[in-house]
Amino acid sequence: ILIIITFLNYSLLFSQKTLDLHYNSLFGKQKSFQFFNNSEFSYKLKGQLFYTTHKLVNMQDSILVFDNDSSIKLREIKAIKIKGVKISPYFFGAGILFFLLDTGHNIAFGNQIINEKAVLIGSIFVAAGVIVNYLQNKHIRIHKNSVLRIIDADYLNLNIKN
């Protein structure tokens, strides 16, 4: 039993590289975020218009390796998107559900089938869903005040010279 416990202790002591991002928020507060291996990573390269999302597999000195065997350098990254809590589907659902329930009520009781107020309220909910969908994710541009680096926390081999 002692051999098994010793083996488990040494097998669990491995270092994991992290991608560390330090940036200033909108009001100047210093914030940081860390990305680990096997996490979703959304980025925009210099010259690209849209974000690309891949699973982060490995990190070397200044190179990120993804699950589709592609790799990019840290200096090529223009912006990073950090996904937030998904609440926008509730707004989309509320807008569509309100419109459908009002239309079903009007059909059942023989009124005018499409009500202008129901269309207006439903479209307000859908528009709010579009706005919340954009605001719930953090879009961080990498510039001179942002620091993006790979940290290797290999404390077991700290004093070993190569």
Side-chain angles (χ1 to χ4, degrees):
I1 294 176
L2 185 61
I3 296 171
I4 295 173
I5 292 173
T6 306
F7 175 72
L8 285 177
N9 283 338
Y10 285 114
S11 67
L12 295 176
L13 294 176
F14 62 93
S15 66
Q16 182 175 4
K17 295 180 182 180
T18 59
L19 179 63
D20 198 30
L21 171 66
H22 293 278
Y23 63 97
N24 293 331
S25 68
L26 184 63
F27 299 109
K29 184 178 178 183
Q30 292 281 335
K31 294 194 173 192
S32 65
F33 195 83
Q34 293 180 341
F35 296 95
F36 299 99
N37 286 341
N38 296 324
S39 63
E40 293 288 324
F41 185 68
S42 298
Y43 62 94
K44 188 190 303 186
L45 295 177
K46 293 178 182 176
Q48 282 186 344
L49 188 60
F50 299 107
Y51 284 95
T52 307
T53 302
H54 292 294
K55 185 181 262 189
L56 192 59
V57 175
N58 195 4
M59 298 173 238
Q60 293 300 326
D61 295 330
S62 63
I63 298 174
L64 302 176
V65 180
F66 298 107
D67 59 349
N68 62 348
D69 294 334
S70 65
S71 61
I72 60 169
K73 295 182 180 178
L74 290 180
R75 66 173 185 247
E76 297 174 351
I77 297 175
K78 176 182 175 183
I80 295 175
K81 179 170 67 172
I82 300 172
K83 294 185 179 181
V85 179
K86 287 286 189 188
I87 58 173
S88 60
Y90 296 118
F91 285 102
F92 291 128
I96 294 170
L97 187 65
F98 184 81
F99 176 73
L100 291 177
L101 286 175
D102 185 65
T103 304
H105 178 267
N106 290 340
I107 290 173
F109 291 108
N111 298 334
Q112 179 185 2
I113 295 177
I114 297 177
N115 190 358
E116 292 177 7
K117 290 183 181 179
V119 172
L120 179 66
I121 293 171
S123 62
I124 288 173
F125 273 113
V126 169
V130 169
I131 293 170
V132 168
N133 189 22
Y134 180 76
L135 293 178
Q136 71 190 2
N137 297 328
K138 290 183 182 180
H139 301 271
I140 301 169
R141 291 185 52 99
I142 306 299
H143 46 77
K144 64 179 182 178
N145 293 333
S146 302
V147 177
L148 185 63
R149 61 185 170 191
I150 296 173
I151 297 175
D152 187 9
D154 189 10
Y155 297 117
L156 292 176
N157 300 322
L158 190 61
N159 291 328
I160 296 175
K161 293 184 180 182
N162 292 333

